Amino acid sequence: AAAAPTSEARMLALAAAVEEGSQHPVARAICTLSAQRAGAASGKAASEEALLASAHRSQAGDGAYAEVEGRGVAVGTLEWVLQEAGGETSQAAQLEAAAERSAATAGAGTSATRVFVGVQGEGVVGCLALRDAPRDDAASAVAALQRMGLQPHIFSGDRQQAALQVGGEVGIDAANVRGDLKPADKAALLRELQVAGCVVVMVGDGVNDAPALAAADVGMALADGVDAAGEAADVVLLGGRVAQVGEAVALGRATMAKIHQNLLWAVAYNVVGIPLAAGALLPYAGVALNPSVAGAAMAFSSIAVVLNSVLLRGKDLAAEVGAPKVEEALP
């Protein structure tokens, strides 16, 4: 991180005050970093450790804004910060260059996402370089989806370089990775896939994913994400594991297979049973079903369908998709 006249600790404290309470991964990272720096610097003033903010507002895909100690503070993309806090682009470029040097020293290189901090009256006062690490089970989950014949994509609001870095780590082809996307851009790309004839499952956990989750054929939200994602999704993965995406698809396929089996069984059963109950073979073979036997046979048909469906409960979905089990996925 780098800062202008405002100290680094002060800049982090301002950014954390604005992002406090947000469930966005970037916001949580900023708050965690600020708390760690404040805890390590025991000689700092208390005002640098915790600041109170009011008049919060945010713009999906751009950033957040709040008033801290009577001055407006904006955190997010450069365009958002310049719009809300003012400042010079040249000033931001210097800070970004310093953040890039810090990121390179830390091993993040150009894949880090840039988050700017601006204060009204001071302009852009800092730039944070944050690198998004994939979830522990992401690579195995992607491999499982590919074995199932699915084609994973990444639609991200992070920089293209950051999205490509994550895509490479989890095994997604670079041609299927798109970064620098606004929420509306994600939904538009999703619709393009649908127009091309694809059935699209969208997986997300943030408010920026909500439009795409609503537009997808099936939207899946991770339970540890924000409420807006869960409300827009069709399925909520309560375990919060990416591997559950493949398990949900496998369960859906198994359910459809059971439906087809039950329909086939019911049709075949009635094709044979109804003519027998009607006495079709009585003139030729002297065979007919009396009403009581026919009623019992119909009840048996229903029982057979139910028992066939109950077999779904015994399926080991994790083993079927080749994804790690819950105990293996835990750190």
Side-chain angles (χ1 to χ4, degrees):
T6 300
S7 69
E8 180 179 292
R10 178 74 173 174
M11 180 266 291
L12 281 172
L14 290 170
V18 173
E19 299 288 11
E20 184 66 32
S22 173
Q23 295 300 309
H24 194 282
V26 170
R28 292 200 297 261
I30 291 173
C31 292
T32 299
L33 177 61
S34 177
Q36 290 173 346
R37 294 290 178 87
S42 57
K44 294 294 182 180
S47 61
E48 290 190 349
E49 296 180 5
L51 299 175
L52 298 179
S54 61
H56 288 83
R57 56 186 172 84
S58 63
Q59 177 67 42
D62 290 322
Y65 172 92
E67 292 184 5
V68 183
E69 296 184 336
R71 289 190 298 175
V73 179
V75 181
T77 64
L78 178 58
E79 293 77 9
W80 169 260
V81 170
L82 291 176
Q83 171 187 314
E84 298 296 327
E88 299 293 334
T89 304
S90 58
Q91 179 187 18
Q94 295 175 359
L95 292 166
E96 184 175 14
E100 287 180 354
R101 290 193 294 270
S102 297
T105 302
T110 59
S111 65
T113 295
R114 277 51 166 164
V115 179
F116 292 88
V117 182
V119 180
Q120 289 181 349
E122 296 183 31
V124 183
V125 300
C127 176
L128 298 168
L130 306 175
R131 187 180 182 280
D132 193 13
R135 293 173 182 255
D136 294 337
D137 62 339
S140 59
V142 168
L145 292 173
Q146 292 169 336
R147 287 194 297 271
M148 297 171 70
L150 304 177
Q151 189 177 62
H153 291 246
I154 289 180
F155 292 166
S156 174
D158 294 337
R159 295 177 54 167
Q160 179 68 11
Q161 295 94 325
L164 286 170
Q165 176 75 23
V166 172
E169 292 179 7
V170 301
I172 295 180
D173 191 277
N176 295 335
V177 177
R178 294 291 301 273
D180 296 311
L181 299 177
K182 303 291 186 184
D185 297 331
K186 296 180 183 181
L189 286 173
L190 187 148
R191 293 189 186 95
E192 289 181 9
L193 291 174
Q194 291 173 321
V195 169
C198 299
V199 177
V200 181
V201 176
M202 172 68 186
V203 184
D205 62 357
V207 65
N208 293 342
D209 299 320
L213 286 169
D217 294 289
V218 178
M220 295 188 185
L222 300 177
D224 55 0
V226 300
D227 292 340
E231 292 173 359
D234 303 296
V235 177
V236 177
L237 304 176
L238 297 179
R241 296 182 295 114
V242 181
Q244 288 180 296
V245 175
E247 295 172 18
V249 173
L251 178 59
R253 289 178 172 178
T255 301
M256 288 303 299
K258 288 297 180 184
I259 291 173
H260 294 154
Q261 291 169 13
N262 290 340
L263 285 174
L264 180 62
W265 167 256
V267 170
Y269 197 85
N270 285 300
V271 165
V272 174
I274 291 176
L276 285 176
L281 295 181
L282 186 59
Y284 310 101
V287 176
L289 297 179
N290 61 49
S292 59
V293 174
M298 185 58 68
F300 175 77
S301 173
S302 299
I303 292 173
V305 167
V306 171
L307 290 176
N308 187 41
S309 300
V310 169
L311 292 177
L312 278 173
R313 296 176 62 88
K315 293 187 71 67
D316 187 348
L317 297 174
E320 184 169 324
V321 302
K325 295 181 180 179
V326 175
E327 57 270 18
E328 296 172 353
L330 293 176

